[in-house]
Amino acid sequence: MLRYLARRILQIFPVVLLAVMMNFLLINLAPGDPAVVMAGEHAPVEYIAELRKSYGLDAPVLERLGTYLVKLMHGDLGYSFAYRRPVLELLLERAQATMLLVLISQFFSILLGTWLGAYAARHHNRIADKLISYGTILLYCMPIFWIGMMLIMIFAVKLQWLPSSGMTSFMSFGRPRWIDIAIHMILPATCLFLHTLPIYAKLARASVLEVAREDFITTARAIGFSERVVYMRHALRNALLPTVTVAGLSLSALLTGALLVETVFAWPGLGRLMFEAVSARDYPVLMGGFLFATLLVIIGNFIVDVIYTYLDPRVIYS
Amino acid sequence: MRSLARETPLILGLALLAFMVAVALLAPALYPSNPLFSNAPPMQPPDWAYPLGTDHTGRDVAAMLAWGTRVSLLFAFGAAGISLVCGTVLGAISGYFGGLVDDVLSRLFEMFNIVPRLFLIILVVAVFGSYLWLTVAIVGLTMWPSNARIMRAQVLTLKSRGYAQAAIVSGAGPFTVLFSHVVPNGIGPVMANSMLQMAYAVLTEAGLAFLGLSDPNIASWGQVLYWGQGFIASAPWMIIFPGLAIAMLLMSFHLIGGTLQERLDPRQQGAMA
Amino acid sequence: MSHLLEVAGLRIDFTTRRGSLGAVNDISFTLRAGESLGLVGESGCGKSTTAYALMRLLPGNGRITAGKVLIDGKDIVAASEDEVRRIRWQDIAIVFQNAMTALNPVRRIGDQMVAALTEHQPVSRAEALDRARAIFEKVGLSPSRLMNYPHEFSGGMKQRAVIALALMCQPRILLADEPTTALDVVAQRQVLELLAGLKAEFGLSLILISHDISAVAELCDRVAVMYAGQIAEEGPTRETLLNPRHPYTRGLVASIPSIYDEITTLSSIEGVPPDLVNPPLACRFAPRCPHAQPICAQVPPPMVEVAPGRRSRCHFATQFDVLIAGKEIANVPT
Ligand SMILES: Nc1ncnc2c1ncn2[C@@H]1O[C@H](COP(=O)(O)OP(=O)(O)OP(=O)(O)O)[C@@H](O)[C@H]1O
Ligand SMILES: [Mg+2]
């Protein structure tokens, strides 16, 4: 396991380097002064001058890249003048809200999506299957931020049941804080949930159909298990393997979804931060956010791999 | 009768796409003036004169959406086209030549897959500016790895087939064999994937516009949604219709792509698009 | 004496793109408690399909279109889904044709065995594990391997594990569908010996499907020779194989090299089995039969009892010696 860990870290390295190089390339290819790109448009003139000196922006490209890498290694992602705070601090703080939203919505999405897909597979080519199949495609075709706005239109504007934005209220009416957050989270989490639901449903359907053709499913039937047990306990467990793989592969798509959802619902996470940084032309935050998101995906992939070993005893890491 | 029912998804998909293309082509005839000029009363709910209503500055939503169809289709075909060319060429080379080339390219495919695309696109567009063609190119250039992976797998299985071997024996150069014998036979799955990429490109355009990162001088579906954000309560038609337009176009790509995939993999009968 | 298993007039059709495929057509046989029956015949003659039907396990496009399957007097064909589920594994269990893929790859073998028992009997997990251990020992596997995953077993071990799984609920009838095909020669012998031992020890009623006629000859009291979805001939193993009353049985036996006698002429049956979507209307074997007479292409032969407990589906079953001797047949049946 240790050897495997070491190898994984070696594999991670090039991806991070690629993301860093892209950042560096952007700074240097951007029209105008690279120092401004590094500092953001709100930075005072003195800071830009200082930056130019500390990064040696007049030095040759390779030397500049070296300085840049060293700074990154020390966790220095720059300073945001729009927020007057170091970028890393900002990102770490905002990442919490994103994680909360993503984890909760994905928990339900994977659970229900997989169940729906397995149910459709069990009733292959019958009414339930058709309904689930077409319903999920339809859902899949709706832009996530549009779903968000429709949710706001219905539940916040028309019915006035739920708040449409933010994470907490100014006036909590004596509610405990976590309840306040939970109430605020219902709409954005539902939105992200609806966005990924069809992915898991479609995947589970396809892989359960695939597994259902296998011999050990016939064995399970022969033993006398009920159809429900055959599908939900025997086929599904095996069909989960591709779901886990895809969940890992689609982490970056998930972050994309989170970015847009947070924008719609003003949820104070990474995505909302990116949106605000776009309007403020706060380039250090945009670049830091990109690097940070890359790291999140890599870590997520790693966790998914560990889950995979647990689900499939045939996988041996050597 | 039964075969017609089987073709329903494809027919529906093609009809939707044809409708969208027709709207894009007819937009200048239907709405000759610039759709971004205000010449109507603001905040009009849908009626006979303005079937999709007007926005807060008195612009006709129908006109903006009709012109926006052109932007969406440009993204669909432009970005997916760039991705198709890059992915096919790089994937084919990687699969055909193997060895070090394959190793390097394969790593590259993997790495590009991990990098969160929209974050990168936002960064690039924010730094360089929201020029239409630049955005199309960037979206295309971030999508190619999945095409490359599919093409690589195709080439790996096809290069040992009879016709490829026959071409090699008859003295054709490696690139001739690859691009006139192997690639044309293996392009099917890449085309199916391209339909999904078109859908993704349209979504990305809408997402960028929604984040305020599209050219403000061009009417696009995402742009209308972006403007409509502040009027969810007072002008819901500014939000409902552009979203439906996006969903319709995406639906057409998914229906066509799904049918293609199904044809290529006969085991997946009745699979979802 | 009543029969443990009674199959009468069984017909199974598959819906295919080319039309309805009659995989099994009017099959009848019986099995007494403790008796063993061999099912032999060329590939595609319907052996597995018959076995699956006995447990009502046909794939989605297959249907039992006629006949009865009585297990202990209860008709499986007409039973409800719940009734069938109770009969499975308790009264009748099966060892599938492909042991390599018959076990769930992501669950421990012991867990799979325990789940099978607790599904049918009100026993605790500990009791079920005890039973699994005992059975593992019976089939020649070390109980310490109970918590292994299938991929950690060799082919022969997997085959034993699959047999162990089938014995978990102590079924009265065991169907073994080519239990040795995927194994090497040594392992094949071991598994056959294992089956013979189990049969004696538990008084199992066994239906053994095999291409290996010598295995059937060794293990089975009776044999049914199948051809193109029908039973061509059925009877006590020794008599039937030594003194066939159907040209197909004769051809089949002749195509097996005997390890005892020095047989010099090794003949195999020419031609291929008929298309089951459009089978021959009269005798199904007639197109390949070296002794075919005009009537064979015109009238379907009935199943006739040629001796007590011996049946054959040949027009000339009662004058078989005359037929194969190539002599003039005295009274041609009409
Ligand atoms: N699911 C199915 N759909 C259509 N036809 C089928 C199906 N399963 C079996 N058949 C057909 O039914 C006939 C009997 O098949 P079966 O598997 O019972 O043969 P078998 O005697 O067990 O052969 P083998 O010795 O190769 O296992 C064959 O002609 C086969 O093509
Ligand atoms: Mg078989």
Side-chain angles (χ1 to χ4, degrees):
Chain A
M1 196 66 192
L2 263 177
R3 286 245 320 271
Y4 166 69
L5 273 178
R7 227 193 42 215
R8 279 302 298 233
I9 289 167
L10 276 181
Q11 282 171 349
I12 287 170
F13 194 68
V15 183
V16 179
L17 197 67
L18 178 80
V20 172
M21 293 299 284
M22 280 178 182
N23 269 346
F24 184 76
L25 213 70
L26 275 176
I27 297 171
N28 286 281
L29 287 181
D33 188 350
V36 175
V37 176
M38 289 191 75
E41 274 181 6
H42 293 271
V45 190
E46 309 88 66
Y47 179 72
I48 293 179
E50 190 198 310
L51 209 81
R52 190 171 283 126
K53 223 169 72 210
S54 73
Y55 277 86
L57 286 181
D58 307 316
V61 177
L62 273 182
E63 199 181 315
R64 261 156 44 203
L65 178 62
T67 324
Y68 185 63
L69 286 178
V70 169
K71 293 236 173 198
L72 282 182
M73 242 78 100
H74 289 94
D76 180 1
L77 292 182
Y79 189 85
S80 162
F81 272 92
Y83 289 92
R84 309 205 159 270
R85 286 174 68 185
V87 171
L88 185 63
E89 205 181 297
L90 205 56
L91 289 171
L92 285 174
E93 185 188 296
R94 294 297 194 94
Q96 293 169 15
T98 301
M99 295 304 276
L100 186 66
L101 188 64
V102 164
L103 288 181
I104 292 202
S105 66
Q106 291 316 286
F107 174 77
F108 288 107
S109 188
I110 291 180
L111 217 65
L112 197 72
T114 309
W115 184 84
L116 270 180
Y119 189 86
R122 190 177 140 198
H123 300 275
H124 185 39
N125 274 344
R126 278 185 270 167
I127 284 286
D129 180 26
K130 299 271 185 233
L131 278 180
I132 292 173
S133 299
Y134 282 104
T136 45
I137 301 182
L138 200 65
L139 200 55
Y140 195 63
C141 288
M142 299 176 184
I144 184 168
F145 47 93
W146 187 67
I147 297 178
M149 287 191 281
M150 297 309 276
L151 287 176
I152 290 179
M153 200 182 284
I154 297 167
F155 294 102
V157 176
K158 279 262 144 46
L159 300 172
Q160 308 220 332
W161 286 352
L162 293 163
S164 68
S165 69
M167 193 166 169
T168 48
S169 322
F170 283 119
M171 281 185 292
S172 61
F173 306 110
R175 277 190 302 237
R177 189 178 140 81
W178 71 269
I179 290 189
D180 197 31
I181 294 180
I183 290 175
H184 279 83
M185 195 161 64
I186 293 177
L187 284 186
T190 305
C191 187
L192 202 51
F193 161 81
L194 288 175
H195 177 66
T196 46
L197 185 72
I199 303 175
Y200 296 118
K202 181 184 161 180
L203 197 72
R205 179 181 177 275
S207 48
V208 168
L209 278 180
E210 182 99 36
V211 171
R213 275 192 290 263
E214 300 216 18
D215 292 341
F216 69 86
I217 292 298
T218 314
T219 305
R221 279 207 184 95
I223 290 176
F225 294 118
S226 69
E227 280 304 283
R228 205 182 57 79
V229 171
V230 166
Y231 272 95
M232 295 302 164
R233 208 176 302 153
H234 294 258
L236 195 54
R237 166 89 189 261
N238 294 270
L240 271 181
L241 298 176
T243 300
V244 171
T245 313
V246 166
L249 287 177
S250 57
L251 277 173
S252 69
L254 184 59
L255 279 181
T256 297
L259 194 161
L260 292 164
V261 169
E262 289 177 5
T263 304
V264 177
F265 292 95
W267 184 261
L270 275 180
R272 179 74 190 182
L273 181 67
M274 292 292 277
F275 173 68
E276 288 159 358
V278 166
S279 3
R281 304 284 147 185
D282 193 349
Y283 301 117
V285 167
L286 287 178
M287 275 188 264
F290 169 56
L291 261 185
F292 198 77
T294 309
L295 271 177
L296 279 185
V297 173
I298 291 173
I299 294 170
N301 266 323
F302 183 72
I303 294 173
V304 162
D305 273 1
V306 174
I307 296 177
Y308 203 100
T309 12
Y310 172 74
L311 282 177
D312 189 350
R314 285 165 296 183
V315 178
I316 308 160
Y317 294 110
S318 53
Chain B
M1 197 53 221
R2 228 175 89 226
S3 68
L4 195 69
R6 249 169 51 93
E7 299 298 344
T8 316
L10 182 64
I11 293 170
L12 196 65
L14 287 174
L16 277 174
L17 186 59
F19 172 71
M20 289 293 175
V21 171
V23 170
L25 292 176
L26 291 178
L30 290 172
Y31 301 100
S33 61
N34 186 334
L36 296 183
F37 287 155
S38 324
N39 46 20
M43 306 290 266
Q44 281 288 323
D47 59 14
W48 283 112
Y50 304 102
L52 305 184
T54 64
D55 76 355
H56 56 296
T57 60
R59 293 176 293 198
D60 186 353
V61 173
M64 289 193 287
L65 292 191
W67 282 85
T69 313
R70 317 185 105 197
V71 177
S72 288
L73 287 177
L74 173 71
F75 265 86
F77 289 99
I82 291 173
S83 162
L84 177 67
V85 172
C86 292
T88 304
V89 170
L90 288 175
I93 289 176
S94 173
Y96 193 79
F97 294 101
L100 188 65
V101 181
D102 185 30
D103 274 352
V104 172
L105 285 175
S106 292
R107 279 300 94 68
L108 203 65
F109 303 160
E110 273 169 35
M111 274 156 44
F112 258 97
N113 249 330
I114 290 179
V115 167
R117 274 184 240 158
L118 194 66
F119 283 73
L120 179 62
I121 297 171
I122 289 173
L123 183 55
V124 173
V125 175
V127 169
F128 285 90
S130 48
Y131 307 104
L132 188 61
W133 279 102
L134 174 80
T135 319
V136 171
I138 293 298
V139 173
L141 287 177
T142 53
M143 289 196 306
W144 61 268
S146 71
N147 278 340
R149 238 198 353 235
I150 296 170
M151 195 68 223
R152 176 176 175 275
Q154 287 288 97
V155 169
L156 281 180
T157 54
L158 290 178
K159 74 175 173 187
S160 55
R161 293 275 171 84
Y163 48 81
Q165 293 301 322
I168 294 171
V169 170
S170 72
F175 282 96
T176 319
V177 176
L178 184 53
F179 289 106
S180 52
H181 295 277
V182 178
V183 168
N185 282 294
I187 201 81
V190 185
M191 293 310 286
N193 190 51
S194 284
M195 296 310 294
L196 303 186
Q197 295 215 319
M198 287 186 184
Y200 182 80
V202 171
L203 266 186
T204 307
E205 185 279 326
L208 284 174
F210 181 72
L211 294 172
L213 278 175
S214 77
D215 193 333
N217 302 314
I218 297 174
S220 82
W221 295 346
Q223 192 82 265
V224 179
L225 278 172
Y226 177 61
W227 289 322
Q229 235 188 130
F231 306 96
I232 291 185
S234 50
W237 52 88
M238 283 178 71
I239 289 155
I240 294 176
F241 295 116
L244 288 181
I246 296 173
M248 263 168 69
L249 183 55
L250 256 57
M251 196 65 171
S252 82
F253 291 138
H254 279 287
L255 289 174
I256 299 171
T259 311
L260 270 181
Q261 242 164 16
E262 207 174 297
R263 293 292 142 82
L264 292 164
D265 181 7
R267 275 188 325 158
Q268 276 218 318
Q269 277 180 8
M272 285 190 219
Chain C
M1 179 176 174
S2 81
H3 298 286
L4 180 53
L5 172 71
E6 190 177 339
V7 177
L10 188 64
R11 230 189 108 111
I12 299 162
D13 291 307
F14 285 110
T15 317
T16 68
R17 225 167 293 164
R18 297 187 302 131
S20 178
L21 183 150
V24 166
N25 193 321
D26 191 16
I27 277 190
S28 307
F29 63 85
T30 58
L31 190 72
R32 289 174 210 278
E35 195 181 29
S36 54
L37 172 74
L39 270 187
V40 297
E42 280 169 294
S43 188
C45 68
K47 305 181 296 290
S48 298
T49 305
T50 306
Y52 278 43
L54 300 187
M55 299 186 73
R56 225 173 77 184
L57 273 177
L58 291 171
N61 61 337
R63 242 163 46 83
I64 299 177
T65 43
K68 282 189 221 159
V69 175
L70 303 178
I71 292 181
D72 229 4
K74 181 153 194 62
D75 188 2
I76 292 276
V77 179
S80 74
E81 188 63 31
D82 280 342
E83 285 170 327
V84 172
R85 288 210 291 118
R86 275 198 293 278
I87 287 170
R88 288 179 185 162
W89 234 244
Q90 293 246 77
D91 290 315
I92 181 164
I94 184 167
V95 173
F96 283 110
Q97 192 160 353
N98 198 347
M100 299 310 122
T101 51
L103 292 168
N104 191 333
V106 303
R107 300 185 75 194
R108 295 170 201 278
I109 293 169
D111 287 339
Q112 298 185 46
M113 292 171 70
V114 166
L117 184 59
T118 50
E119 172 72 19
H120 290 288
Q121 289 168 22
V123 296
S124 70
R125 185 183 152 83
E127 287 169 308
L129 264 177
D130 281 342
R131 173 147 181 78
R133 253 182 235 116
I135 290 184
F136 244 45
E137 235 160 88
K138 278 262 151 36
V139 300
L141 288 168
S142 158
S144 64
R145 303 293 298 267
L146 210 50
M147 284 299 136
N148 279 32
Y149 288 99
H151 72 273
E152 294 166 323
F153 273 21
S154 72
M157 290 165 76
K158 254 185 240 174
Q159 188 65 65
R160 286 163 189 268
V162 169
I163 294 173
L165 179 64
L167 294 175
M168 207 50 200
C169 298
Q170 287 176 302
R172 297 204 278 166
I173 307 168
L174 183 67
L175 306 173
D177 191 354
E178 301 185 27
T180 56
T181 27
L183 305 177
D184 62 71
V185 186
V186 179
Q188 279 186 10
R189 277 246 64 80
Q190 289 173 341
V191 166
L192 287 174
E193 274 160 22
L194 169 66
L195 283 175
L198 292 169
K199 189 172 77 108
E201 190 177 341
F202 294 107
L204 270 178
S205 305
L206 180 72
I207 294 185
L208 176 69
I209 297 173
S210 184
H211 287 287
D212 183 356
I213 292 193
S214 59
V216 169
E218 225 168 290
L219 227 64
C220 298
D221 309 323
R222 303 172 60 77
V223 64
V225 179
M226 285 186 67
Y227 182 78
Q230 296 181 326
I231 292 182
E233 181 172 9
E234 194 228 324
T237 312
R238 208 181 140 74
E239 275 173 63
T240 308
L241 295 182
L242 285 180
N243 184 17
R245 292 298 192 95
H246 193 289
Y248 179 65
T249 315
R250 211 177 116 83
L252 200 65
V253 174
S255 66
I256 311 292
S258 166
I259 39 174
Y260 306 114
D261 316 325
E262 293 219 358
I263 286 189
T264 41
T265 52
L266 190 69
S267 66
S268 70
I269 310 164
E270 303 226 329
V272 291
D275 175 12
L276 291 175
V277 176
N278 299 301
L281 292 174
C283 175
R284 295 193 166 194
F285 186 57
R288 292 171 77 188
C289 183
H291 312 292
Q293 304 294 318
I295 185 180
C296 300
Q298 289 154 7
V299 182
M303 190 65 135
V304 290
E305 184 149 23
V306 290
R310 280 203 67 180
R311 298 178 301 151
S312 164
R313 201 185 271 274
C314 176
H315 283 300
F316 303 96
T318 50
Q319 14 182 343
F320 200 64
D321 298 337
V322 188
L323 177 76
I324 52 175
K327 296 202 190 102
E328 192 73 15
I329 294 163
N331 44 350
V332 175
T334 44

